[in-house]
Amino acid sequence: MNNIRLVLGNRNYSSWSLRAWLCLRKCDVEFEEILLPLDTAEFKARINEYSPTGRVPVLWHEDRVVWDSLAICEYANDVFADGRLWPRNTASRALGRCMAAEMHSGFLALRNKMPMNCRANARHVPLDEELKADIDRVCFLWGMARSEHSKKGDWLLGEFSIADAMFAPVVQRFKNYGVKLPELCQQYCEQVHADKDMQAWVSQALLESWIVEADEAGSDQPVA
Ligand SMILES: N[C@@H](CCC(=O)N[C@@H](CS)C(=O)NCC(=O)O)C(=O)O
């Protein structure tokens, strides 16, 4: 046992958990998962045992605690992946870090109005100006990253990187809310959906039955 434990929320809704989990999976290390279902009495009762912020994800490794999704991705890169979760090229790494940081601190309309909900099927939310601006910005960033790295592979920066993990829940949202995308972006989404780890996450999410009302956005009927 290598003493790595990831405390995460339920897969259907916990977008921050997905980011950290995906990076750990790409490190090919075994880790224990402790799943605390969001918005439940169990979460409230147990979260303080594990998390200094009361939030997930949290990584425990040996005597270290690493809270916050992006910090976990970076820790995984340093400790378990020998740096390969970022490209070697300095300019590519800088672009990836800007994208990851922007995702981590921004895109509030996308995060609030289109919560990750892997089980949602053809769910419609009104595409207001703020939401459209976030979607356009995501497409701009993906288009820039892909056009600069297309010869190196099918992920944003060629090989899989932390940038892909940070945007994976956005890819999932675009599917669940039926967002129409430019071809290059749609192709990138298909790359993410075809990933075996992403598929493993989603297939387990589909088996969950916890409901977080606040994250059940939109309706089954198209909206104007
Ligand atoms: N900035 C944090 C955000 C973590 C976060 O908001 N996690 C949510 C679940 S996805 C959470 O723990 N919510 C529970 C709560 O706030 O009670 C990160 O990147 O890890």
Side-chain angles (χ1 to χ4, degrees), residues 10-14 38-39 111-126 176-177 205-206 208-220:
N10 32 327
R11 285 174 160 76
N12 190 55
Y13 302 109
S14 190
L38 297 170
D39 203 26
R111 277 158 46 191
N112 294 333
K113 297 176 188 179
M114 275 188 179
M116 189 173 89
N117 182 352
C118 302
R119 284 193 306 253
N121 190 12
R123 197 68 72 82
H124 301 274
V125 294
N176 295 108
Y177 295 94
L206 299 182
E208 292 175 351
S209 53
W210 298 284
I211 305 276
V212 175
E213 285 299 342
D215 287 342
E216 289 293 331
S219 82
D220 294 340

Side-chain angles (χ1 to χ4, degrees), residues 6 11 39-41 52 106 121 132 140 143 152 181 193 195 197:
L6 182 69
R11 285 174 160 76
D39 203 26
T40 61
N121 190 12
K132 277 193 205 148
F140 173 80
K152 297 191 166 153
L181 297 168
H193 293 311
D195 177 68
D197 294 314

Side-chain angles (χ1 to χ4, degrees), residues 10-214:
N10 32 327
R11 285 174 160 76
N12 190 55
Y13 302 109
S14 190
S15 58
W16 296 112
S17 300
L18 166 58
R19 295 170 168 109
W21 181 89
L22 206 49
C23 279
L24 276 181
R25 288 284 285 226
K26 297 301 179 196
C27 294
D28 291 325
V29 285
E30 281 191 25
F31 59 96
E32 182 191 348
E33 293 178 23
I34 299 171
L35 192 147
L36 302 181
L38 297 170
D39 203 26
T40 61
E42 183 188 352
F43 187 93
K44 285 191 188 70
R46 296 184 58 203
I47 189 65
N48 294 331
E49 277 173 58
Y50 299 109
S51 171
T53 59
R55 290 175 178 239
V56 287
V58 188
L59 178 76
W60 286 79
H61 178 225
E62 296 168 350
D63 59 350
R64 300 176 199 136
V65 54
V66 187
W67 65 95
D68 191 283
S69 57
L70 188 52
I72 296 170
C73 295
E74 292 285 2
Y75 184 87
N77 182 50
D78 291 348
V79 178
F80 308 127
D82 205 16
R84 71 185 150 77
L85 296 186
W86 284 124
R88 282 192 170 283
N89 176 280
T90 306
S92 300
R93 229 170 35 239
L95 173 62
R97 286 197 166 118
C98 288
M99 290 174 68
E102 187 171 339
M103 181 68 247
H104 194 239
S105 62
F107 295 107
L108 290 184
L110 191 58
R111 277 158 46 191
N112 294 333
K113 297 176 188 179
M114 275 188 179
M116 189 173 89
N117 182 352
C118 302
R119 284 193 306 253
N121 190 12
R123 197 68 72 82
H124 301 274
V125 294
L127 284 184
D128 64 20
E129 290 308 312
E130 285 179 336
L131 205 41
K132 277 193 205 148
D134 275 2
I135 293 168
D136 287 350
R137 176 72 186 158
V138 168
C139 289
F140 173 80
L141 292 173
W142 289 0
M144 178 168 58
R146 288 296 306 129
S147 57
E148 287 176 20
H149 298 89
S150 59
K151 291 199 179 77
K152 297 191 166 153
D154 294 329
W155 295 98
L156 289 171
L157 305 173
E159 299 288 314
F160 176 90
S161 75
I162 290 174
D164 297 293
M166 292 306 287
F167 282 95
V170 175
V171 170
Q172 189 58 37
R173 285 167 160 103
F174 286 169
K175 179 177 187 185
N176 295 108
Y177 295 94
V179 177
K180 298 256 176 304
L181 297 168
E183 197 181 329
L184 194 65
C185 292
Q186 191 54 43
Q187 279 168 8
Y188 172 64
C189 289
E190 276 150 31
Q191 163 73 12
V192 176
H193 293 311
D195 177 68
K196 66 176 182 5
D197 294 314
M198 195 64 192
Q199 288 182 353
W201 176 278
V202 173
S203 60
Q204 289 179 60
L206 299 182
L207 300 175
E208 292 175 351
S209 53
W210 298 284
I211 305 276
V212 175
E213 285 299 342

